[in-house]
Amino acid sequence: MSEQATTPNRHLTSKEHLRLWLRLLRTTRRVEADLRERLRLQFNTTLPRFDVMAALSRHPDGLKMNELSQQLKVSNGNVTGIISRLVEDGWVERIAIEGDRRATRVLLTAAGNQQFHHMAQAHEHWVDELFSSLSGQETHHMNELFAHLPTEAGPEPDSPAPDNQGELR
Amino acid sequence: MSEQATTPNRHLTSKEHLRLWLRLLRTTRRVEADLRERLRLQFNTTLPRFDVMAALSRHPDGLKMNELSQQLKVSNGNVTGIISRLVEDGWVERIAIEGDRRATRVLLTAAGNQQFHHMAQAHEHWVDELFSSLSGQETHHMNELFAHLPTEAGPEPDSPAPDNQGELR
DNA sequence: GCATGAATGTTTAAGCTTGAAATACTTTCG
DNA sequence: CGAAAGTATTTCAAGCTTAAACATTCATGC
């Protein structure tokens, strides 16, 4: 488990890992900030709302609240608030589930679906711009390196089908 | 500018960029969630507090509020609240600046400095563990690829000295 | 001096986020 | 049946985050 071995390069590797993590974090924050601002200015919405709509757009029949929060890897209570606001805006609706009065199914309205497709198109273009300094080869290479990282849930080797995130279709 | 050229592979590159971004985002969120939980359980603190203390630890003479928020790339008002709580906890103190009654200088107390060094040591170890699946060479390679990305402020070619983030010393 | 604008911080309103507690419903099984 | 355990969701308290409004203080130029 990556014990503090007595090899002389332990220190260096650890520092390199730290450096990589800090870069990763800076880059992600910068891109996120950019996307957040554009979503606000051009669509008067937020990144969390966009993420929720993206998840719902991949499931035309809707998702239960708990499925949604698992997909987005955020807490249960968090989704409640975001969905409530999306419902107010008319982009999402809640539908009772037959035979289980505890659960509800949430899905995009027709208007929500249309709105999401507008946003997703812009979003893809923005991301393409932000990463434009990477060549196709570099992008591909980086994608492969990321496969080695703890991207998916770590200590759970039994996830049914992680499903591709975002609006990738 | 990455204009929508008429080359047949525009679509593919764009999709690859999007895929990379989503992976980046997933990875960052997962690592952040892990670090956040550990900071909470083992040190009863939060990631934002840790980030602020890391910035202050690199500046023993303290920083003005506005310098601090620039370093952390968060809004001005945000820092006010975090610093207030750190002051309550006794890790940070505010000191008036001679000759300018608008500004204050904030810096770690002796206790804060000591506490931060405990946390930083654990933090470096956690990150090393989380990235342990990357070889030294892969880590180095990835670090280089990141240099091509919009890590630093994009449209400002005149930043004085970005300074290394985190507790890297 | 003194008006005017810039700089520095705080406050505020709205929303996001978590973890824990509360609520409501369903299933299990004695 | 009925208690206990489990499931699905909301509510809650605390804290983070932003953008915008606000209050002070400083600097500049008449």
Side-chain angles (χ1 to χ4, degrees), chain A residues 59-152:
Chain A
H59 296 269
D61 295 338
L63 286 169
K64 292 197 303 181
M65 292 298 280
N66 81 21
E67 294 170 337
L68 189 50
S69 63
Q70 275 170 20
Q71 286 235 353
L72 298 174
K73 297 189 177 78
V74 297
S75 70
N76 230 328
N78 187 353
V79 179
T80 299
I82 297 172
I83 288 291
S84 296
R85 283 178 285 270
L86 286 173
V87 168
E88 282 174 19
D89 293 348
W91 305 134
V92 167
E93 62 184 329
R94 291 184 222 242
I95 295 188
I97 285 185
E98 289 282 318
D100 189 343
R101 283 182 299 178
R102 294 171 300 182
T104 36
R105 205 156 41 90
V106 290
L107 68 163
L108 290 180
T109 60
N113 199 51
Q114 192 178 358
Q115 172 71 357
F116 174 72
H117 281 304
H118 287 324
M119 296 193 296
Q121 203 172 329
H123 176 259
E124 181 175 329
H125 186 59
W126 297 335
V127 170
D128 193 32
E129 261 183 35
L130 287 165
F131 285 79
S132 63
S133 49
L134 279 187
S135 73
Q137 199 176 13
E138 286 170 326
T139 306
H140 188 69
H141 194 162
M142 210 142 175
N143 257 322
E144 289 192 335
L145 284 173
F146 264 107
H148 294 202
L149 275 178
T151 304
E152 308 302 336

